[in-house]
């Protein structure tokens, strides 16, 4: 069984999302669907930028690695552009599926998710999703592996292929 690569948030490389254009709250249905609709209707504009990110976090959790709940937890970053290019999937479809899974009560780990950053860089050449999760998931290797397997299943790719697109700087040792 492959061990999911993940990192404690305290060592997370992080570029400020000063250009955030939308921030919602996980756990509330209306902001969730507004967020998905925002991504869907603005995807071309977001992809045309040099750098911009959109964020969706639970109420009370700051979209920052310095937030105590993010710092005590961890994250997984997935390069969606490369994953979709390799698998023939449409990036926007994958983003919508990921948001719906993480915060739409379709994940066994919904309660462990603190938030989601989606970074668009290089005029659409890179779309990276960073999933922030709590200490409970960070400290449970089996649950972390199961979460990684859930992500692989979502994108219909084998876990070893999915692992290629995890941010290696986000690896627990």
């Amino acid at each position: 069984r492959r061990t999911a690569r993940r990192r404690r948030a305290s060592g997370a490389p992080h570029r400020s999302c000063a250009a955030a254009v939308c921030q919602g709250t996980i756990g509330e249905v209306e902001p969730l669907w507004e967020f998905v609709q925002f991504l869907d209707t603005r995807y071309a504009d977001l992809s045309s930028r040099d750098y911009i990110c959109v964020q969706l976090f639970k109420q009370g959790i700051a979209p920052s690695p310095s937030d105590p709940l993010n710092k005590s937890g961890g994250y997984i970053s997935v390069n969606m552009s490369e994953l979709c290019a390799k698998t023939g999937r449409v990036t926007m479809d994958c983003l919508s599926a990921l948001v719906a899974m993480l915060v739409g009560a379709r994940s066994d780990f919904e309660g462990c998710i603190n938030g989601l950053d989606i970074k668009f860089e290089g005029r659409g050449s890179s779309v990276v999703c960073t999933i922030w999760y709590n200490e409970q998931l960070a400290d449970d290797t089996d649950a972390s592996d199961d979460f990684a397997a859930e992500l692989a299943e979502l994108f219909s790719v084998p876990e070893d292929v999915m692992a290629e697109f995890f941010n290696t700087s986000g690896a627990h040792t």
Side-chain angles (χ1 to χ4, degrees):
R1 183 174 175 148
R2 182 193 60 77
T3 300
R5 294 187 270 174
R6 55 206 178 273
R7 181 187 253 327
R8 281 272 183 208
S10 59
H14 184 73
R15 183 172 176 186
S16 173
C17 285
V21 292
C22 177
Q23 186 171 326
T25 302
I26 289 178
E28 298 177 21
V29 174
E30 188 173 327
L32 166 67
W33 294 117
E34 286 177 10
F35 187 79
V36 171
Q37 183 179 12
F38 174 84
L39 286 175
D40 190 40
T41 58
R42 301 281 311 274
Y43 182 78
D45 177 49
L46 295 169
S47 296
S48 70
R49 309 280 184 103
D50 286 328
Y51 178 80
I52 196 163
C53 78
V54 292
Q55 302 168 313
L56 185 68
F57 277 77
K58 284 185 178 174
Q59 186 171 0
I61 300 177
S64 166
S66 63
D67 183 283
L69 294 173
N70 287 332
K71 194 171 188 176
S72 66
Y75 70 92
I76 294 177
S77 287
V78 180
N79 188 319
M80 300 297 286
S81 302
E82 292 178 6
L83 175 68
C84 291
K86 182 167 183 166
T87 60
R89 307 266 323 255
V90 175
T91 304
M92 184 56 222
D93 292 345
C94 289
L95 288 174
S96 293
L98 179 63
V99 171
M101 181 195 90
L102 292 177
V103 296
R106 293 187 6 208
S107 171
D108 293 337
F109 302 97
E110 176 190 5
C112 296
I113 303 304
N114 289 345
L116 175 67
D117 281 324
I118 305 171
K119 293 178 178 70
F120 296 83
E121 296 185 85
R123 300 196 179 273
S125 64
S126 178
V127 177
V128 176
C129 294
T130 302
I131 304 157
W132 294 87
Y133 50 83
N134 66 17
E135 185 175 15
Q136 177 185 350
L137 186 56
D139 289 343
D140 187 335
T141 302
D142 289 337
S144 295
D145 287 346
D146 290 344
F147 180 59
E150 191 174 89
L151 290 173
E153 184 178 330
L154 175 71
F155 300 121
S156 304
V157 296
E159 286 181 62
D160 59 328
V161 171
M162 185 69 185
E164 292 176 39
F165 302 100
F166 285 163
N167 179 346
T168 56
S169 69
H172 256 319
T173 53

